[in-house]
Amino acid sequence: MKATSEFQFPAGFLWGAATASHQVEGGNTRNDWWLYEEAGRLPHRSGEACRHYEWFERDFDLARSLGHNAHRLSLEWSRIEPRPGEWDEAELEHYAAVIAALRERGMEPVVTLHHFTNPAWFAARGGWERADSVRIFARYVTQVAARLSGQVRFWLTINEPSVYAKYAYVTGDWPPLRRHAWLAAARVLWHLGRAHVAAYRILHVHNAATMVGLAHSTPYVVPCDPGSRADRAAARRRDFVLNVLPFRLLALRPAAVLDFIGINYYARQVVRAGRGPGTAQLFGTECRENHHGPPRSFTPLGWEVYAPGLQAVLARFGRFGVPLMVTENGIATNDEAERSRYLESHLQALEAAVRGGCPVLGYLYWTLMDNYEWTEGRNARFGLVALDFATQQRTPRPAALLLQRVAETNIAGPAGGCQYPVPGPDGFGSAEK
Ligand code: IFM
């Protein structure tokens, strides 16, 4: 293992962890997931999750003590707008307090506006399938921006649009549990793209110095046999839908509506041309065999651990010409040596990308503590910190200490500094209204 002091990252690099409201807060009774959970239409309930809604200050103390100087969280839209056009001031106040708590601890907030969950009323009227979803989301963003834009420099509008469209409208695993609804998935993706653009504009009207991006799931997709035309074609189509399409839907020049891109990287997908019905025909199937060079390793969720893929996707998305931020990267495992190896190898890949000139602003591990992992419930343990759900006891894992050592050695940063523009404190805080 490389000595942690040997890692070198630019001054001002952001280090921390990412979370999402429904996965950590607990008691999000007004969103679509909760309704489906309570109706027994999803395999697990979120319940009180990590009780982070009440315990955010303690959790931020812990994150700070682990060397974090940044933290990603999401706002729960269903709390802020429990009924159409009705704004819950106390909830806006809550999130203002959450953000202030981060700032008091010297941690940069990275705030997501939409992370998979929708207010129940919004879902009931057709959710993101409807064209007016964009206007309704913009109305929410306007309220949020009016209250919080002075305190937040980094916004992520939508988390993983392609993942949301896939699981909610194609595989049918997530609310509204629609299967093979391809047209609906395309409409949803389109509206999420429009919603991003609308939010981008609103946030900039409120604060010209803000940095607005979206968090994009970026699997590293390669053909199983590069010599096979069929494998290459399947991999290309899969890559297009997962990695390219969400950007094409944003604007003719995506960089015009993105100040940075959030990279959520977990795994490689080795694609072999599909036989059989449905999506496999178009997008192939994943090859899990060991005939691609070094032995492969898969996590208990079946995701391939492949650190060079992080460097590859950073190089690829770096070509958009805007800064990048690793807004998610992590592993669900019960093997702590494996978690540490995963983190270390991905930090090496990240460092190589940065050294190669890739404009990366920071690294946010997924996730701070074990939480409600959607249809996997409490079984998939991604946390830097172990959570005992019965007692709510938090215990940092070895990987948390590894990240802490790298972060603390690099927060001051070696000489060299960032080569890309980041708004300094000056343009920030004095919101233009
Ligand atoms: O937990 C999720 C998160 O909500 C979005 N990105 C992937 C994570 C791990 O599955």
Side-chain angles (χ1 to χ4, degrees):
M1 188 184 277
K2 185 167 170 157
T4 45
S5 56
E6 282 165 35
F7 281 102
Q8 295 220 323
F9 288 90
F13 205 76
L14 299 177
W15 295 102
T19 61
S21 55
H22 193 66
Q23 295 180 266
V24 293
E25 284 181 350
N28 273 322
T29 59
R30 290 158 165 175
N31 71 31
D32 49 356
W33 270 78
W34 185 276
L35 295 190
Y36 279 72
E37 289 164 23
E38 291 302 302
R41 299 180 72 194
L42 289 167
H44 301 277
R45 292 182 175 187
S46 52
E48 60 178 22
C50 314
R51 292 179 64 178
H52 178 72
Y53 186 83
E54 303 151 62
W55 288 15
F56 65 91
E57 287 178 309
R58 275 187 255 181
D59 288 336
F60 296 162
D61 283 341
L62 179 59
R64 186 65 202 140
S65 77
L66 293 171
H68 299 193
N69 66 352
H71 182 77
R72 177 177 171 211
L73 64 122
S74 77
L75 306 182
E76 179 59 37
W77 179 8
S78 64
R79 287 187 187 269
I80 293 172
E81 191 180 4
R83 279 166 294 281
E86 265 183 41
W87 309 102
D88 191 323
E89 288 303 325
E91 296 291 1
L92 281 165
E93 207 43 56
H94 169 80
Y95 287 113
V98 168
I99 290 161
L102 287 172
R103 289 229 172 273
E104 279 156 23
R105 289 161 178 77
M107 293 163 75
E108 184 72 45
V110 178
V111 180
T112 313
L113 289 160
H114 184 272
H115 194 122
F116 298 155
T117 53
N118 299 296
W121 59 264
F122 176 84
R125 68 192 294 290
W128 289 102
E129 272 190 82
R130 286 180 57 148
D132 60 1
S133 56
V134 178
R135 177 181 57 74
I136 291 170
F137 182 72
R139 186 177 66 184
Y140 151 66
V141 178
T142 303
Q143 291 291 324
V144 168
R147 183 70 185 79
L148 302 177
S149 64
Q151 284 89 54
V152 180
R153 181 178 303 160
F154 294 105
W155 292 98
L156 292 161
T157 55
I158 314 281
N159 182 68
E160 300 180 348
S162 50
V163 172
Y164 175 75
K166 173 180 164 190
Y167 287 109
Y169 292 90
V170 178
T171 66
D173 292 314
W174 294 359
L177 309 183
R178 301 270 301 280
R179 276 170 68 76
H180 304 311
W182 286 97
L183 223 64
R187 260 203 309 273
V188 163
L189 210 49
W190 170 252
H191 293 145
L192 289 171
R194 299 296 87 211
H196 165 83
V197 174
Y200 179 91
R201 295 197 174 122
I202 293 163
L203 291 165
H204 274 283
V205 166
H206 281 262
N207 185 348
T210 206
M211 299 274 283
V212 183
L214 58 73
H216 183 41
S217 168
T218 57
Y220 179 51
V221 181
V222 293
C224 171
D225 174 4
S228 150
R229 183 188 291 213
D231 285 6
R232 284 201 314 270
R236 238 191 340 265
R237 285 192 291 266
R238 183 185 283 239
D239 182 65
F240 179 80
V241 168
L242 298 179
N243 280 326
V244 181
L245 187 64
F247 283 93
R248 284 270 199 308
L249 293 178
L250 289 182
L252 281 178
R253 278 194 324 108
V257 290
L258 288 166
D259 302 315
F260 72 106
I261 300 173
I263 298 290
N264 292 2
Y265 176 78
Y266 289 88
R268 172 168 82 160
Q269 294 184 11
V270 176
V271 178
R272 140 163 90 192
R275 287 159 228 110
T279 51
Q281 279 289 344
L282 268 177
F283 305 120
T285 52
E286 272 191 62
C287 167
R288 301 194 176 271
E289 284 172 38
N290 245 323
H291 51 217
H292 305 90
R296 302 170 70 191
S297 138
F298 293 89
T299 74
L301 290 181
W303 301 0
E304 185 183 4
V305 177
Y306 191 73
L310 176 59
Q311 190 181 347
V313 300
L314 288 170
R316 177 182 190 186
F317 286 97
R319 290 199 271 277
F320 273 100
V322 295
L324 310 176
M325 187 188 294
V326 178
T327 40
E328 288 184 26
N329 173 242
I331 180 171
T333 180
N334 294 321
D335 175 341
E336 294 319 316
E338 188 187 21
R339 191 188 313 279
S340 295
R341 272 197 307 275
Y342 181 99
L343 175 61
E344 213 234 343
S345 60
H346 285 75
L347 289 179
Q348 281 179 4
L350 173 65
E351 187 194 40
V354 172
R355 268 187 204 206
C358 201
V360 189
L361 299 168
Y363 175 86
L364 304 175
Y365 182 87
W366 183 270
T367 180
L368 178 60
M369 59 205 152
D370 297 336
N371 59 37
Y372 176 72
E373 173 55 31
W374 309 113
T375 46
E376 301 293 331
R378 297 169 177 184
N379 301 326
R381 295 185 168 245
F382 277 96
L384 285 175
V385 173
L387 180 71
D388 178 333
F389 286 96
T391 61
Q392 288 290 330
Q393 173 90 25
R394 280 106 162 113
T395 312
R397 293 186 162 123
L401 307 182
L402 166 61
L403 185 61
Q404 176 181 3
R405 286 194 298 273
V406 177
E408 286 177 350
T409 327
N410 282 280
I411 272 175
C418 305
Q419 304 143 8
Y420 35 88
V422 182
D426 292 342
F428 177 72
S430 52
E432 276 179 30
K433 298 237 166 98

